[in-house]
Amino acid sequence: MRLSEEQKAIVKQVGREVFGKNVQLALFGSRLNDHLKGGDIDILVKSDEPMTGKMIKMLTMTARLQMRLGDQPIDILIYDPETPLSPVYEQALTNGELI
């Protein structure tokens, strides 16, 4: 996983600030491969309960992470019971590593 312990702690802290303590946060995508370089930070926010205000929360988390981690590409997927299961969500749920 190409995130430092400090970066993982920041992602976890910001995710919980924005979405609450009952969400799971996972890293997926190219940052899981230690042999690659660069790439955006792909984060899955998973909740067992339906969420409201997903878009605002996603934008808030993205902005806070960019302020704390530096201006770099960050993609956030939000998955709750009301989210249709598309291939990108399947990949994130299957291959993501919990932070």
Side-chain angles (χ1 to χ4, degrees):
M1 179 182 293
R2 288 183 296 121
L3 281 184
S4 68
E5 290 302 317
E6 180 182 3
Q7 289 171 320
K8 288 192 279 188
I10 289 169
V11 169
K12 194 172 190 176
Q13 178 184 15
V14 171
R16 299 266 163 85
E17 287 171 3
V18 175
F19 289 97
K21 294 180 181 179
N22 295 325
V23 297
Q24 292 180 325
L25 301 163
L27 184 72
F28 69 99
S30 63
R31 289 283 180 126
L32 291 178
N33 187 332
D34 292 333
H35 302 290
L36 297 177
K37 293 190 185 259
D40 55 356
I41 299 174
D42 298 308
I43 300 167
L44 174 70
V45 178
K46 183 177 181 250
S47 173
D48 293 332
E49 300 294 324
M51 278 192 250
T52 59
K54 294 177 201 174
M55 183 61 73
I56 295 293
K57 290 178 181 177
M58 184 269 300
L59 293 171
T60 300
M61 183 174 177
T62 301
R64 289 184 186 180
L65 287 175
Q66 286 180 331
M67 289 188 316
R68 305 243 341 245
L69 298 175
D71 189 22
Q72 56 186 305
I74 298 170
D75 292 328
I76 298 173
L77 290 181
I78 301 169
Y79 185 80
D80 70 6
E82 296 175 347
T83 305
L85 192 59
S86 68
V88 70
Y89 283 98
E90 273 187 47
Q91 191 272 339
L93 290 165
T94 303
N95 300 318
E97 291 187 23
L98 292 177
I99 297 174

Coordinates of all heavy atoms in Angstrom, one line a residue:
M1 N 0.9 -1.2 0.0 CA 0.0 0.0 0.0 C 0.9 1.2 0.0 O 1.8 1.4 0.9 CB -0.9 0.0 1.2 CG -1.8 1.2 1.3 SD -2.8 1.3 2.8 CE -3.9 -0.1 2.6
R2 N 0.7 2.1 -1.0 CA 1.5 3.3 -1.1 C 0.9 4.5 -0.4 O 0.6 5.5 -1.0 CB 1.8 3.6 -2.5 CG 2.8 2.6 -3.1 CD 3.2 2.8 -4.5 NE 2.1 2.7 -5.4 CZ 1.6 3.7 -6.2 NH1 2.2 4.9 -6.2 NH2 0.6 3.5 -7.0
L3 N 0.6 4.3 0.9 CA 0.3 5.4 1.7 C 1.0 5.3 3.0 O 1.1 4.1 3.5 CB -1.2 5.4 2.1 CG -2.3 6.0 1.1 CD1 -3.7 5.9 1.7 CD2 -2.0 7.4 0.6
S4 N 1.6 6.3 3.5 CA 2.4 6.2 4.8 C 1.4 6.0 5.9 O 0.2 6.3 5.8 CB 3.2 7.5 5.0 OG 2.3 8.6 5.2
E5 N 1.9 5.7 7.1 CA 1.1 5.5 8.3 C 0.4 6.9 8.6 O -0.8 6.9 9.0 CB 1.9 5.0 9.5 CG 2.3 3.6 9.3 CD 1.2 2.6 9.1 OE1 0.1 2.7 9.8 OE2 1.3 1.7 8.3
E6 N 1.1 8.0 8.4 CA 0.6 9.3 8.7 C -0.5 9.6 7.7 O -1.6 10.1 8.1 CB 1.7 10.4 8.6 CG 1.2 11.8 8.9 CD 2.2 12.8 8.7 OE1 3.4 12.5 8.3 OE2 1.9 14.0 9.0
Q7 N -0.4 9.3 6.4 CA -1.4 9.5 5.5 C -2.7 8.7 5.8 O -3.8 9.2 5.6 CB -0.9 9.2 4.0 CG 0.1 10.2 3.6 CD 0.8 9.8 2.3 OE1 1.1 8.6 2.1 NE2 1.0 10.8 1.4
K8 N -2.4 7.4 6.1 CA -3.6 6.6 6.5 C -4.3 7.1 7.7 O -5.6 7.2 7.7 CB -3.1 5.2 6.8 CG -2.7 4.4 5.5 CD -2.5 2.9 5.8 CE -1.2 2.6 6.4 NZ -0.9 1.2 6.5
A9 N -3.6 7.6 8.7 CA -4.3 8.2 9.9 C -5.1 9.5 9.5 O -6.2 9.7 10.0 CB -3.2 8.6 10.9
I10 N -4.5 10.3 8.6 CA -5.3 11.5 8.1 C -6.5 11.1 7.4 O -7.6 11.6 7.6 CB -4.3 12.3 7.2 CG1 -3.3 13.0 8.1 CG2 -5.2 13.4 6.5 CD1 -2.2 13.7 7.3
V11 N -6.4 10.1 6.5 CA -7.6 9.6 5.7 C -8.7 9.1 6.7 O -9.9 9.5 6.6 CB -7.2 8.6 4.7 CG1 -8.5 7.9 4.1 CG2 -6.4 9.1 3.6
K12 N -8.3 8.3 7.7 CA -9.2 7.8 8.7 C -9.8 8.9 9.5 O -11.0 8.9 9.7 CB -8.4 6.8 9.6 CG -9.3 5.9 10.4 CD -8.5 4.9 11.1 CE -9.3 3.8 11.7 NZ -8.5 2.7 12.3
Q13 N -9.0 9.8 10.0 CA -9.6 10.9 10.8 C -10.6 11.8 10.0 O -11.6 12.1 10.5 CB -8.4 11.8 11.3 CG -8.9 13.0 12.1 CD -7.8 13.9 12.5 OE1 -6.7 13.8 12.0 NE2 -8.1 14.8 13.5
V14 N -10.2 12.2 8.8 CA -11.1 13.0 8.0 C -12.3 12.3 7.6 O -13.4 12.8 7.7 CB -10.3 13.5 6.7 CG1 -11.3 14.2 5.8 CG2 -9.2 14.5 7.1
G15 N -12.2 11.0 7.2 CA -13.4 10.2 6.9 C -14.3 10.1 8.0 O -15.6 10.2 7.8
R16 N -13.8 9.9 9.2 CA -14.7 9.8 10.4 C -15.3 11.2 10.8 O -16.5 11.2 11.2 CB -14.0 9.2 11.6 CG -13.4 7.8 11.3 CD -14.4 6.7 11.8 NE -14.1 5.4 11.2 CZ -13.3 4.5 11.7 NH1 -12.5 4.8 12.7 NH2 -13.2 3.4 11.1
E17 N -14.6 12.2 10.6 CA -15.1 13.6 10.8 C -16.3 13.9 9.9 O -17.3 14.5 10.3 CB -14.0 14.7 10.6 CG -12.9 14.7 11.6 CD -11.8 15.7 11.2 OE1 -11.9 16.3 10.1 OE2 -10.8 15.8 12.0
V18 N -16.1 13.5 8.6 CA -17.2 13.9 7.6 C -18.3 12.9 7.6 O -19.5 13.3 7.6 CB -16.5 13.9 6.2 CG1 -17.6 14.1 5.2 CG2 -15.4 15.0 6.2
F19 N -18.0 11.6 7.7 CA -19.1 10.6 7.6 C -19.5 9.9 8.9 O -20.5 9.2 8.9 CB -18.6 9.4 6.6 CG -18.5 9.9 5.2 CD1 -17.3 10.3 4.7 CD2 -19.6 9.9 4.4 CE1 -17.2 10.7 3.3 CE2 -19.5 10.3 3.1 CZ -18.3 10.7 2.5
G20 N -18.8 10.1 10.0 CA -19.2 9.5 11.2 C -18.3 8.3 11.5 O -17.6 7.8 10.7
K21 N -18.4 7.8 12.7 CA -17.6 6.7 13.2 C -18.0 5.3 12.7 O -17.2 4.4 12.8 CB -17.6 6.7 14.7 CG -16.9 7.9 15.3 CD -16.9 7.9 16.8 CE -16.3 9.2 17.4 NZ -16.2 9.2 18.8
N22 N -19.2 5.2 12.1 CA -19.6 3.9 11.8 C -19.3 3.5 10.3 O -19.9 2.5 9.8 CB -21.1 3.8 12.0 CG -21.4 3.8 13.5 OD1 -20.7 3.4 14.3 ND2 -22.5 4.5 13.9
V23 N -18.5 4.2 9.6 CA -18.1 3.9 8.3 C -16.8 3.1 8.2 O -16.0 3.2 9.1 CB -18.0 5.1 7.3 CG1 -19.4 5.8 7.2 CG2 -16.9 6.1 7.8
Q24 N -16.7 2.3 7.2 CA -15.4 1.7 6.9 C -14.7 2.4 5.8 O -15.4 2.9 4.8 CB -15.6 0.2 6.5 CG -16.1 -0.7 7.6 CD -16.3 -2.1 7.1 OE1 -16.7 -2.3 6.0 NE2 -16.1 -3.0 8.0
L25 N -13.4 2.6 5.9 CA -12.6 3.3 4.8 C -11.6 2.3 4.3 O -10.9 1.6 5.0 CB -11.9 4.5 5.4 CG -12.8 5.5 6.1 CD1 -12.1 6.4 7.0 CD2 -13.6 6.3 5.0
A26 N -11.6 2.2 2.9 CA -10.6 1.3 2.3 C -10.0 2.0 1.1 O -10.5 2.9 0.4 CB -11.4 0.1 1.8
L27 N -8.7 1.7 0.9 CA -7.9 2.1 -0.2 C -8.1 1.1 -1.3 O -8.0 -0.1 -1.0 CB -6.5 2.3 0.2 CG -5.6 2.9 -0.9 CD1 -5.9 4.4 -1.1 CD2 -4.1 2.7 -0.5
F28 N -8.3 1.5 -2.6 CA -8.3 0.6 -3.7 C -7.6 1.2 -4.9 O -7.2 2.4 -4.8 CB -9.8 0.2 -4.0 CG -10.6 1.3 -4.6 CD1 -10.8 1.3 -6.0 CD2 -11.2 2.2 -3.8 CE1 -11.6 2.4 -6.5 CE2 -12.0 3.2 -4.3 CZ -12.2 3.3 -5.7
G29 N -7.5 0.4 -5.9 CA -6.9 1.0 -7.1 C -5.4 0.9 -7.1 O -4.8 0.1 -6.4
S30 N -4.7 1.8 -7.9 CA -3.3 1.6 -8.2 C -2.4 1.8 -6.9 O -1.3 1.3 -6.9 CB -2.9 2.7 -9.2 OG -3.1 4.0 -8.8
R31 N -2.9 2.5 -5.9 CA -2.1 2.8 -4.7 C -1.8 1.5 -3.9 O -1.0 1.5 -3.0 CB -2.7 3.8 -3.8 CG -2.6 5.2 -4.4 CD -1.2 5.8 -4.2 NE -1.1 7.1 -4.8 CZ -0.6 8.2 -4.1 NH1 -0.2 8.0 -2.9 NH2 -0.6 9.4 -4.7
L32 N -2.6 0.4 -4.2 CA -2.3 -0.8 -3.6 C -1.1 -1.6 -4.1 O -0.6 -2.4 -3.4 CB -3.6 -1.8 -3.7 CG -4.8 -1.3 -2.9 CD1 -6.0 -2.3 -3.2 CD2 -4.6 -1.2 -1.5
N33 N -0.7 -1.2 -5.3 CA 0.5 -1.9 -5.9 C 1.8 -1.1 -5.5 O 2.0 0.0 -6.0 CB 0.3 -1.9 -7.4 CG 1.4 -2.7 -8.1 OD1 2.5 -2.9 -7.6 ND2 1.0 -3.3 -9.2
D34 N 2.6 -1.7 -4.7 CA 3.8 -1.1 -4.3 C 4.9 -0.9 -5.4 O 5.8 -0.2 -5.2 CB 4.5 -1.9 -3.1 CG 3.7 -1.9 -1.9 OD1 2.9 -0.9 -1.7 OD2 3.7 -2.8 -1.1
H35 N 4.7 -1.5 -6.5 CA 5.6 -1.5 -7.6 C 5.3 -0.3 -8.6 O 6.1 -0.1 -9.5 CB 5.7 -2.8 -8.4 CG 6.1 -3.9 -7.5 ND1 7.3 -4.1 -6.9 CD2 5.3 -5.0 -7.0 CE1 7.3 -5.2 -6.1 NE2 6.1 -5.7 -6.2
L36 N 4.2 0.3 -8.5 CA 3.8 1.4 -9.3 C 4.2 2.7 -8.7 O 4.5 2.8 -7.5 CB 2.3 1.4 -9.6 CG 1.8 0.2 -10.3 CD1 0.3 0.3 -10.5 CD2 2.4 0.1 -11.7
K37 N 4.2 3.8 -9.5 CA 4.5 5.1 -9.0 C 3.3 6.0 -9.4 O 2.6 5.8 -10.3 CB 5.7 5.7 -9.6 CG 7.0 4.9 -9.1 CD 8.2 5.7 -9.5 CE 9.4 4.8 -9.2 NZ 10.1 5.2 -8.0
G38 N 3.1 7.1 -8.6 CA 2.0 8.0 -8.9 C 0.6 7.4 -8.7 O 0.4 6.5 -8.0
G39 N -0.3 8.0 -9.4 CA -1.7 7.5 -9.3 C -2.5 8.3 -8.3 O -1.9 8.8 -7.4
D40 N -3.8 8.3 -8.5 CA -4.6 9.0 -7.6 C -4.8 8.2 -6.3 O -4.6 7.0 -6.3 CB -5.9 9.5 -8.2 CG -6.7 8.3 -8.8 OD1 -6.1 7.2 -8.9 OD2 -7.8 8.5 -9.3
I41 N -5.4 8.8 -5.3 CA -5.7 8.1 -4.1 C -7.2 7.7 -4.2 O -8.1 8.6 -4.2 CB -5.5 8.9 -2.8 CG1 -4.0 9.3 -2.7 CG2 -5.9 8.2 -1.6 CD1 -3.7 10.3 -1.6
D42 N -7.5 6.4 -4.3 CA -8.9 5.9 -4.4 C -9.3 5.4 -3.1 O -8.8 4.5 -2.6 CB -9.0 4.8 -5.5 CG -8.6 5.3 -6.9 OD1 -9.1 6.3 -7.3 OD2 -7.7 4.6 -7.5
I43 N -10.4 6.0 -2.6 CA -10.9 5.7 -1.3 C -12.4 5.3 -1.4 O -13.2 5.9 -2.0 CB -10.8 6.9 -0.3 CG1 -9.3 7.3 -0.2 CG2 -11.4 6.5 1.1 CD1 -9.2 8.6 0.5
L44 N -12.7 4.1 -0.7 CA -14.1 3.7 -0.6 C -14.5 4.0 0.8 O -13.9 3.6 1.8 CB -14.2 2.2 -0.9 CG -15.5 1.5 -0.7 CD1 -16.5 2.0 -1.8 CD2 -15.4 0.0 -0.7
V45 N -15.7 4.7 0.9 CA -16.3 4.9 2.1 C -17.6 4.0 2.1 O -18.5 4.1 1.3 CB -16.8 6.4 2.3 CG1 -17.5 6.6 3.6 CG2 -15.6 7.3 2.2
K46 N -17.6 3.0 3.1 CA -18.7 2.0 3.1 C -19.5 2.2 4.4 O -18.9 2.3 5.5 CB -18.1 0.6 3.0 CG -19.2 -0.4 3.0 CD -18.6 -1.8 2.8 CE -19.7 -2.8 2.7 NZ -19.8 -3.7 3.9
S47 N -20.8 2.2 4.2 CA -21.7 2.3 5.3 C -22.8 1.2 5.2 O -23.3 1.0 4.1 CB -22.4 3.7 5.4 OG -23.4 3.8 6.4
D48 N -23.1 0.6 6.4 CA -24.2 -0.3 6.4 C -25.6 0.3 6.4 O -26.6 -0.3 6.3 CB -24.0 -1.3 7.6 CG -22.8 -2.2 7.4 OD1 -22.4 -2.5 6.3 OD2 -22.2 -2.6 8.5
E49 N -25.6 1.6 6.7 CA -26.8 2.4 6.8 C -26.9 3.4 5.6 O -25.9 3.9 5.2 CB -26.9 3.2 8.1 CG -26.8 2.4 9.4 CD -28.0 1.5 9.6 OE1 -29.1 2.0 9.2 OE2 -27.8 0.4 10.1
P50 N -28.1 3.6 5.1 CA -28.3 4.6 4.0 C -27.8 6.0 4.5 O -27.9 6.4 5.7 CB -29.8 4.7 3.8 CG -30.3 3.4 4.3 CD -29.4 3.0 5.4
M51 N -27.1 6.7 3.6 CA -26.6 8.0 3.9 C -27.3 9.1 3.1 O -27.8 8.9 2.0 CB -25.1 8.1 3.5 CG -24.2 7.5 4.4 SD -22.5 8.0 3.9 CE -21.9 6.4 3.4
T52 N -27.4 10.3 3.8 CA -27.9 11.5 3.1 C -26.8 12.4 2.8 O -25.7 12.3 3.5 CB -29.0 12.2 3.9 OG1 -28.4 12.6 5.2 CG2 -30.2 11.3 4.2
G53 N -26.9 13.3 1.8 CA -25.9 14.3 1.5 C -24.6 13.7 1.1 O -23.6 14.3 1.4
K54 N -24.7 12.6 0.3 CA -23.4 12.0 -0.1 C -22.5 12.9 -0.9 O -21.3 12.9 -0.7 CB -23.8 10.7 -1.0 CG -24.5 9.6 -0.2 CD -24.8 8.5 -1.2 CE -25.9 7.7 -0.6 NZ -26.4 6.6 -1.5
M55 N -23.1 13.6 -1.8 CA -22.2 14.5 -2.7 C -21.5 15.5 -1.9 O -20.3 15.8 -2.1 CB -23.1 15.1 -3.8 CG -22.2 15.9 -4.8 SD -21.0 15.0 -5.7 CE -22.0 14.1 -6.8
I56 N -22.2 16.2 -1.0 CA -21.6 17.3 -0.2 C -20.5 16.7 0.7 O -19.4 17.2 0.8 CB -22.7 18.0 0.7 CG1 -23.6 18.7 -0.2 CG2 -22.0 18.9 1.7 CD1 -23.0 19.9 -1.0
K57 N -20.8 15.5 1.3 CA -19.8 14.8 2.2 C -18.6 14.4 1.4 O -17.5 14.6 1.8 CB -20.4 13.6 2.9 CG -21.5 14.1 3.9 CD -22.1 12.9 4.6 CE -23.1 13.3 5.6 NZ -23.8 12.2 6.2
M58 N -18.8 13.9 0.1 CA -17.7 13.5 -0.7 C -16.8 14.7 -1.0 O -15.6 14.6 -0.9 CB -18.2 12.8 -1.9 CG -17.1 12.2 -2.8 SD -16.5 13.4 -4.1 CE -17.9 13.7 -5.0
L59 N -17.4 15.8 -1.4 CA -16.7 17.0 -1.8 C -15.9 17.6 -0.5 O -14.8 18.0 -0.7 CB -17.6 18.0 -2.4 CG -18.2 17.7 -3.8 CD1 -19.3 18.7 -4.2 CD2 -17.1 17.6 -4.8
T60 N -16.6 17.5 0.6 CA -16.0 18.0 1.8 C -14.8 17.2 2.2 O -13.7 17.7 2.5 CB -17.0 18.0 3.0 OG1 -18.1 18.8 2.7 CG2 -16.4 18.4 4.3
M61 N -14.9 15.9 2.1 CA -13.8 15.0 2.4 C -12.6 15.2 1.5 O -11.4 15.3 1.9 CB -14.2 13.5 2.4 CG -13.1 12.6 2.8 SD -13.7 10.9 3.0 CE -12.1 10.0 3.4
T62 N -12.9 15.3 0.2 CA -11.9 15.5 -0.8 C -11.1 16.8 -0.6 O -9.9 16.8 -0.6 CB -12.5 15.6 -2.2 OG1 -13.2 14.4 -2.5 CG2 -11.5 15.8 -3.3
A63 N -11.9 17.9 -0.3 CA -11.2 19.2 0.0 C -10.3 19.1 1.2 O -9.2 19.6 1.2 CB -12.3 20.3 0.1
R64 N -10.8 18.5 2.3 CA -10.1 18.4 3.5 C -8.8 17.6 3.3 O -7.7 17.9 3.9 CB -10.9 17.8 4.7 CG -12.0 18.8 5.2 CD -12.7 18.2 6.3 NE -13.8 19.1 6.7 CZ -14.7 18.9 7.7 NH1 -14.5 17.7 8.4 NH2 -15.6 19.7 8.0
L65 N -8.9 16.5 2.6 CA -7.8 15.6 2.3 C -6.7 16.4 1.5 O -5.5 16.3 1.7 CB -8.2 14.3 1.7 CG -8.9 13.3 2.6 CD1 -9.3 12.1 1.7 CD2 -8.0 12.9 3.7
Q66 N -7.2 17.1 0.5 CA -6.2 17.9 -0.3 C -5.5 18.9 0.5 O -4.3 19.2 0.3 CB -6.9 18.5 -1.5 CG -7.3 17.4 -2.6 CD -8.0 18.0 -3.8 OE1 -8.7 19.0 -3.7 NE2 -7.8 17.3 -4.9
M67 N -6.2 19.5 1.4 CA -5.6 20.5 2.3 C -4.5 19.9 3.2 O -3.5 20.4 3.5 CB -6.6 21.3 3.1 CG -7.4 22.2 2.3 SD -8.5 23.4 3.2 CE -9.3 22.4 4.4
R68 N -4.8 18.6 3.7 CA -3.9 18.0 4.6 C -2.8 17.1 3.9 O -1.7 17.0 4.5 CB -4.7 17.1 5.6 CG -5.8 17.9 6.3 CD -5.8 18.0 7.8 NE -5.0 17.1 8.6 CZ -5.5 16.3 9.5 NH1 -6.8 16.1 9.6 NH2 -4.7 15.6 10.2
L69 N -3.1 16.6 2.8 CA -2.2 15.7 2.1 C -1.5 16.4 0.9 O -0.6 15.8 0.4 CB -2.9 14.4 1.6 CG -3.6 13.5 2.6 CD1 -4.3 12.4 1.9 CD2 -2.6 12.9 3.5
G70 N -1.9 17.5 0.6 CA -1.4 18.2 -0.6 C -2.3 18.1 -1.8 O -3.2 17.2 -1.8
D71 N -2.1 19.0 -2.7 CA -3.0 19.0 -3.9 C -2.7 17.9 -4.8 O -1.7 18.0 -5.6 CB -2.9 20.4 -4.6 CG -3.9 20.5 -5.7 OD1 -5.0 19.8 -5.6 OD2 -3.7 21.3 -6.6
Q72 N -3.4 16.7 -4.6 CA -3.2 15.6 -5.5 C -4.5 15.0 -5.8 O -5.5 15.2 -5.1 CB -2.2 14.6 -4.8 CG -2.7 14.1 -3.4 CD -1.6 13.2 -2.8 OE1 -1.2 12.2 -3.4 NE2 -1.2 13.6 -1.6
P73 N -4.6 14.2 -6.9 CA -5.9 13.6 -7.2 C -6.4 12.6 -6.2 O -5.7 11.7 -5.8 CB -5.7 13.0 -8.6 CG -4.2 13.0 -8.8 CD -3.6 13.9 -7.8
I74 N -7.6 12.8 -5.8 CA -8.3 11.9 -4.8 C -9.6 11.6 -5.3 O -10.4 12.5 -5.7 CB -8.4 12.6 -3.4 CG1 -7.0 12.9 -2.9 CG2 -9.2 11.7 -2.4 CD1 -7.0 13.8 -1.6
D75 N -10.0 10.3 -5.4 CA -11.3 9.9 -5.8 C -11.9 9.1 -4.6 O -11.3 8.3 -4.0 CB -11.2 8.9 -7.0 CG -10.7 9.6 -8.3 OD1 -11.1 10.8 -8.4 OD2 -10.1 9.0 -9.1
I76 N -13.2 9.5 -4.4 CA -13.9 8.9 -3.3 C -15.2 8.3 -3.8 O -15.9 8.9 -4.5 CB -14.2 9.9 -2.2 CG1 -12.9 10.5 -1.6 CG2 -15.1 9.3 -1.1 CD1 -13.1 11.6 -0.6
L77 N -15.4 7.0 -3.5 CA -16.6 6.3 -3.8 C -17.3 6.1 -2.5 O -16.7 5.8 -1.4 CB -16.3 4.9 -4.4 CG -15.8 4.8 -5.8 CD1 -15.6 3.4 -6.2 CD2 -16.7 5.6 -6.8
I78 N -18.6 6.3 -2.5 CA -19.5 6.1 -1.3 C -20.4 4.9 -1.6 O -21.1 4.9 -2.6 CB -20.2 7.4 -0.9 CG1 -19.3 8.5 -0.7 CG2 -21.1 7.1 0.3 CD1 -19.9 9.9 -0.6
Y79 N -20.3 3.9 -0.7 CA -21.2 2.8 -0.9 C -22.1 2.6 0.3 O -21.6 2.5 1.5 CB -20.3 1.5 -1.1 CG -21.2 0.3 -1.4 CD1 -21.7 0.1 -2.7 CD2 -21.5 -0.6 -0.4 CE1 -22.5 -1.0 -3.0 CE2 -22.3 -1.7 -0.7 CZ -22.8 -1.9 -2.0 OH -23.6 -3.0 -2.3
D80 N -23.4 2.6 0.1 CA -24.3 2.3 1.2 C -25.4 1.3 0.6 O -25.3 1.0 -0.6 CB -24.9 3.5 1.8 CG -25.9 4.3 0.8 OD1 -26.2 3.8 -0.3 OD2 -26.3 5.4 1.2
P81 N -26.4 0.9 1.4 CA -27.3 -0.1 0.9 C -28.1 0.4 -0.4 O -28.7 -0.4 -1.1 CB -28.3 -0.3 2.0 CG -27.4 -0.1 3.2 CD -26.5 1.1 2.8
E82 N -28.2 1.7 -0.6 CA -28.9 2.2 -1.7 C -28.1 2.4 -3.0 O -28.6 2.8 -4.0 CB -29.6 3.6 -1.3 CG -30.6 3.4 -0.2 CD -31.1 4.7 0.3 OE1 -30.5 5.8 0.0 OE2 -32.1 4.7 1.1
T83 N -26.8 2.1 -2.9 CA -25.9 2.3 -4.1 C -26.0 1.1 -5.0 O -25.8 -0.1 -4.6 CB -24.5 2.4 -3.6 OG1 -24.4 3.5 -2.6 CG2 -23.5 2.7 -4.7
P84 N -26.3 1.3 -6.3 CA -26.3 0.2 -7.3 C -24.9 -0.4 -7.4 O -23.9 0.4 -7.4 CB -26.7 0.9 -8.6 CG -27.2 2.2 -8.2 CD -26.6 2.6 -6.9
L85 N -24.8 -1.7 -7.5 CA -23.5 -2.3 -7.6 C -23.0 -2.4 -9.0 O -23.4 -3.2 -9.8 CB -23.6 -3.7 -7.0 CG -22.3 -4.5 -6.7 CD1 -21.4 -3.7 -5.8 CD2 -22.5 -5.9 -6.2
S86 N -22.1 -1.4 -9.3 CA -21.5 -1.3 -10.7 C -20.1 -2.0 -10.6 O -19.6 -2.3 -9.5 CB -21.4 0.1 -11.1 OG -20.4 0.8 -10.3
P87 N -19.4 -2.2 -11.8 CA -18.1 -2.9 -11.7 C -17.1 -2.2 -10.9 O -16.3 -2.8 -10.2 CB -17.7 -2.9 -13.2 CG -19.0 -2.9 -13.9 CD -20.0 -2.1 -13.1
V88 N -17.1 -0.8 -10.9 CA -16.1 -0.1 -10.1 C -16.3 -0.3 -8.6 O -15.4 -0.5 -7.8 CB -16.0 1.4 -10.4 CG1 -17.3 2.1 -10.0 CG2 -14.8 2.0 -9.8
Y89 N -17.6 -0.4 -8.2 CA -17.9 -0.7 -6.8 C -17.5 -2.1 -6.4 O -17.0 -2.4 -5.3 CB -19.4 -0.4 -6.4 CG -19.7 1.0 -6.3 CD1 -20.2 1.8 -7.3 CD2 -19.4 1.7 -5.1 CE1 -20.5 3.1 -7.2 CE2 -19.7 3.0 -4.9 CZ -20.3 3.7 -6.0 OH -20.5 5.1 -5.9
E90 N -17.8 -3.1 -7.3 CA -17.4 -4.4 -7.1 C -15.9 -4.6 -6.9 O -15.5 -5.3 -6.0 CB -17.8 -5.3 -8.3 CG -19.2 -5.8 -8.2 CD -19.5 -6.8 -9.3 OE1 -18.7 -7.7 -9.5 OE2 -20.6 -6.7 -9.9
Q91 N -15.1 -3.9 -7.7 CA -13.7 -3.9 -7.6 C -13.2 -3.4 -6.3 O -12.4 -3.9 -5.6 CB -13.1 -3.2 -8.8 CG -11.6 -3.4 -9.0 CD -10.7 -2.4 -8.2 OE1 -11.1 -1.4 -7.8 NE2 -9.5 -2.8 -7.9
A92 N -13.8 -2.2 -5.9 CA -13.4 -1.6 -4.7 C -13.8 -2.4 -3.5 O -13.0 -2.5 -2.5 CB -14.0 -0.2 -4.6
L93 N -14.9 -3.0 -3.5 CA -15.4 -3.8 -2.4 C -14.6 -5.1 -2.3 O -14.3 -5.6 -1.2 CB -16.9 -4.2 -2.5 CG -17.8 -3.0 -2.3 CD1 -19.2 -3.3 -2.8 CD2 -17.9 -2.6 -0.8
T94 N -14.2 -5.7 -3.4 CA -13.5 -7.0 -3.4 C -12.0 -6.8 -3.1 O -11.4 -7.6 -2.4 CB -13.6 -7.6 -4.8 OG1 -15.0 -7.8 -5.1 CG2 -13.0 -9.0 -4.8
N95 N -11.4 -5.8 -3.7 CA -9.9 -5.6 -3.6 C -9.4 -4.6 -2.7 O -8.2 -4.5 -2.4 CB -9.4 -5.4 -5.0 CG -9.7 -6.5 -6.0 OD1 -9.6 -7.7 -5.6 ND2 -10.1 -6.1 -7.2
G96 N -10.3 -3.7 -2.1 CA -9.9 -2.7 -1.3 C -9.3 -3.2 0.0 O -9.7 -4.2 0.5
E97 N -8.4 -2.4 0.6 CA -7.7 -2.8 1.9 C -8.2 -1.7 2.9 O -8.0 -0.5 2.7 CB -6.2 -2.8 1.7 CG -5.7 -3.9 0.9 CD -4.2 -4.0 0.9 OE1 -3.6 -3.5 1.9 OE2 -3.7 -4.6 0.0
L98 N -8.7 -2.2 4.0 CA -9.2 -1.3 5.0 C -8.1 -0.4 5.6 O -6.9 -0.9 5.7 CB -9.8 -2.1 6.2 CG -11.1 -2.8 5.9 CD1 -11.5 -3.6 7.2 CD2 -12.2 -1.8 5.5
I99 N -8.4 0.8 5.8 CA -7.5 1.8 6.4 C -7.7 1.8 7.9 O -8.8 1.9 8.3 CB -7.6 3.2 5.8 CG1 -7.3 3.1 4.3 CG2 -6.8 4.2 6.5 CD1 -7.6 4.4 3.5

